[in-house]
Amino acid sequence: TGVRLLRKLGGKSQFGRSVSATAASSVTAAVIVLSDSVASGSKPDTAGRSIVDGLGAAGFEVPTYEVLPDEPDDLRERLGALLTEGYDVIFTVGGTGLGPRDRTVEVVHPMLTSEIPGLMEAARSFGQARTPYAMLSRGVAGLVGSTLVATLPGSRGGAQETLAAIMPGLVHLVEVLKVTQPHAGVSEYRPASPCARSRSSGVSTSRNDAPDGSTGRQVSSSISSTSSPSMSAPSRRFPR
């Protein structure tokens, strides 16, 4: 009949799981793994590297991958430094559970200038269909200026499931931000006052000290992905 389909809109295919070709070269992400055992060398990191690979497969550039012990001050310092470098996305991996050393959420939540509860609500709902323990994850996500910061669980299965659950929203968000707010970074990260955070997110939080501006301790600043696992997450126990 000479009829050709030039473009299809609607249905599942409309909700992208990778950044568009025009934006891919400039959408940058940093991954910070929080783990005492990985930082000490007593066990390898699989969760953080799987997130690096998953982001790479989705078209993100991931020039920074770091491992830190579960020390709130170390994490606060590194996040402050990375925020000044203009990353589009920063993922933490680990420290979202209920253990005595799980303090990632306590560091990240007060830094958020615009919390996006739906991202982690979607992740917990996705995980809950696979394990009854997903509800115990305390992960949070939101914007610090125009950088998305999200906290992922510390095991490979939980981290992959969370990334798979939020990827469509993540892709849409960063592409919208690229159009409406070209990323120039911030000259210096300063935590918002408790009152300002309450007005912007509706959540009252305690104040954290601003980072001292040092570059912090970086375990690895560059990593090349050798594999690109499917974003379809395995059915595994959701970690804490």
Side-chain angles (χ1 to χ4, degrees), residues 4-221:
R4 287 190 305 144
L5 177 64
L6 298 178
R7 187 182 182 194
K8 178 180 180 296
L9 295 177
K12 293 181 179 180
S13 63
Q14 185 174 350
F15 305 107
R17 299 187 65 84
S18 63
V19 291
S20 66
T22 57
S25 63
S26 60
V27 179
T28 56
V31 176
I32 306 176
V33 176
L34 284 306
S35 172
D36 290 331
S37 56
V38 174
S40 68
S42 61
K43 80 171 189 179
D45 169 49
T46 57
R49 290 186 180 276
S50 74
I51 296 305
V52 171
D53 290 342
L55 289 169
F60 291 79
E61 292 183 359
V62 190
T64 297
Y65 159 83
E66 303 177 7
V67 176
L68 299 175
D70 290 300
E71 294 292 346
D73 289 342
D74 288 356
L75 175 58
R76 189 176 296 111
E77 181 179 304
R78 288 303 299 132
L79 284 174
L82 290 171
L83 285 166
T84 67
E85 296 178 21
Y87 282 90
D88 297 295
V89 182
I90 300 174
F91 281 110
T92 65
V93 181
T96 64
L98 297 166
R101 298 278 288 168
D102 291 333
R103 310 309 293 169
T104 300
V105 174
E106 283 71 18
V107 172
V108 172
H109 190 252
M111 300 175 94
L112 302 179
T113 53
S114 297
E115 188 173 6
I116 309 176
L119 286 176
M120 289 305 157
E121 289 170 3
R124 281 184 279 269
S125 176
F126 186 85
Q128 195 66 29
R130 292 155 177 77
T131 169
Y133 305 129
M135 65 179 72
L136 299 178
S137 176
R138 301 185 299 122
V140 296
L143 296 177
V144 181
S146 56
T147 297
L148 176 69
V149 181
T151 62
L152 308 185
S155 83
R156 180 175 180 174
Q160 286 181 328
E161 286 183 355
T162 300
L163 187 61
I166 69 173
M167 184 58 79
L170 172 64
V171 167
H172 177 70
L173 175 61
V174 297
E175 290 184 342
V176 167
L177 289 174
K178 280 292 185 184
V179 172
T180 60
Q181 302 179 47
H183 213 314
V186 291
S187 59
E188 181 181 1
Y189 168 71
R190 296 180 183 276
S193 69
C195 291
R197 285 194 298 269
S198 297
R199 288 194 297 269
S200 63
S201 66
V203 178
S204 295
T205 57
S206 60
R207 188 179 73 84
N208 279 298
D209 292 336
D212 61 8
S214 67
T215 58
R217 181 164 60 85
Q218 182 165 315
V219 174
S220 173
S221 62

